[in-house]
């Protein structure tokens, strides 16, 4: 497993993963509640997804190619072990993140109480299964090819564009959370209904 990618490669990957996370959450909220929105950010990027995916890469590696950390701890770390580890990390990570947001901003960032097999309002067995499956498949099939492709990118204008986007993405992250902290409410900037029931009122965000 290659671990010596350049800083620019990680920056580009962070931007792409953050955008994919934004799309994934909007697909989920559209299926669940019938709308898409800004996911509490101004720009279409969710920085937490890039932190999570790159963190998984550094700590666990990819399915079939464990990191040196994992190799020192476990003699056997197969695809199933990788998936179960991701499942545990997703479940614990959601609880920690939501507890932190609730403590700092005084709001519920999301609420899975209406879902079956939920564990507190912050995570559920079904969502952890789904997100863990997506993450594991992404790490197995797409992560390394993506990193190799971006590591060979030499066109400077594109690299500079990604650097600027990354900086803006970080600023947007902190500004958006500051708005939620000050306003004690979600940072809803826009919402577009795609699926609307004719017999039930629009559900609230959350």
């Amino acid at each position: 497993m290659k671990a010596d990618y350049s800083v620019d490669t990680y920056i580009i990957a962070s931007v792409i993963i953050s955008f994919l996370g934004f799309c994934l959450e909007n697909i989920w909220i559209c299926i669940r509640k019938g709308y898409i929105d800004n996911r509490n950010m101004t720009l279409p990027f969710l920085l937490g997804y890039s932190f999570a995916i790159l963190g998984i890469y550094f700590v666990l590696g990819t399915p079939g190619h464990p990191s040196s950390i994992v190799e020192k701890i476990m003699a056997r770390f197969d695809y199933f072990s990788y998936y179960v580890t991701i499942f545990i990390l997703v479940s614990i990570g959601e609880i920690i993140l939501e507890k932190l947001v609730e403590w700092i901003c005084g709001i519920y960032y999301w609420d899975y109480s209406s879902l079956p097999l939920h564990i507190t309002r912050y995570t559920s067995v079904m969502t952890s299964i789904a997100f863990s499956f997506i993450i594991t498949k992404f790490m197995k099939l797409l992560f390394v090819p993506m990193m190799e492709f971006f590591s060979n990118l030499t066109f400077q204008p594109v690299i500079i564009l990604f650097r600027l986007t990354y900086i803006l993405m970080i600023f947007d992250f902190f500004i958006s959370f500051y708005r939620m902290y000050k306003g004690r409410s979600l940072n809803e900037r826009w919402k577009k209904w795609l699926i609307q029931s004719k017999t039930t009122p629009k559900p609230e965000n959350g």
Side-chain angles (χ1 to χ4, degrees):
M1 182 184 67
K2 184 175 180 179
D4 58 346
Y5 296 112
S6 69
V7 172
D8 281 329
T9 301
Y10 287 116
I11 287 175
I12 296 171
S14 294
V15 173
I16 298 299
I17 293 168
S18 298
F19 177 72
L20 292 176
F22 176 85
C23 295
L24 178 64
E25 284 213 359
N26 266 306
I27 291 171
W28 162 242
I29 202 69
C30 183
I31 293 172
R32 188 180 176 209
K33 295 190 175 181
Y35 63 83
I36 61 175
D37 65 15
N38 61 295
R39 307 314 299 147
N40 298 301
M41 299 291 124
T42 301
L43 300 177
F45 303 101
L46 295 178
L47 190 61
Y49 279 84
S50 66
F51 287 161
I53 294 298
L54 293 179
I56 288 170
Y57 173 64
F58 287 126
V59 175
L60 299 182
T62 60
H65 297 88
S67 67
S68 58
I69 297 174
V70 172
E71 289 178 334
K72 291 177 181 178
I73 299 174
M74 301 180 65
R76 185 171 179 269
F77 193 68
D78 56 15
Y79 184 88
F80 180 73
S81 301
Y82 191 97
Y83 174 81
V84 170
T85 304
I86 296 297
F87 176 87
I88 295 170
L89 291 175
V90 166
S91 300
I92 295 175
E94 283 195 314
I95 293 173
I96 292 174
L97 176 59
E98 177 62 19
K99 280 284 189 181
L100 189 62
V101 173
E102 181 184 348
W103 176 59
I104 295 175
C105 301
I107 60 174
Y108 296 131
Y109 206 30
W110 61 80
D111 189 346
Y112 290 159
S113 297
S114 62
L115 298 179
L117 301 177
H118 65 272
I119 305 170
T120 72
R121 69 172 69 236
Y122 307 129
T123 192
S124 76
V125 173
M126 301 307 297
T127 54
S128 292
I129 287 174
F131 280 110
S132 300
F133 177 79
I134 293 170
I135 291 171
T136 303
K137 283 295 185 181
F138 177 82
M139 296 303 291
K140 180 177 177 60
L141 301 175
L142 299 177
F143 183 81
V144 172
M146 177 188 72
M147 296 298 286
E148 293 293 333
F149 176 81
F150 292 140
S151 67
N152 293 320
L153 185 63
T154 58
F155 190 51
Q156 282 300 310
V158 173
I159 294 174
I160 292 172
L161 178 62
F162 273 104
R163 289 174 183 170
L164 293 174
T165 303
Y166 185 73
I167 292 171
L168 290 174
M169 191 170 70
I170 291 175
F171 271 108
D172 183 46
F173 175 83
F174 285 106
I175 290 171
S176 296
F177 267 94
Y178 179 74
R179 285 173 176 161
M180 288 188 279
Y181 168 75
K182 291 292 289 185
R184 298 299 186 189
S185 62
L186 295 172
N187 182 38
E188 185 177 295
R189 315 297 289 179
W190 58 267
K191 179 188 291 187
K192 182 174 179 61
W193 289 88
L194 301 180
I195 304 171
Q196 179 62 50
S197 170
K198 295 181 180 180
T199 58
T200 57
K202 294 181 181 180
E204 295 180 359
N205 192 7

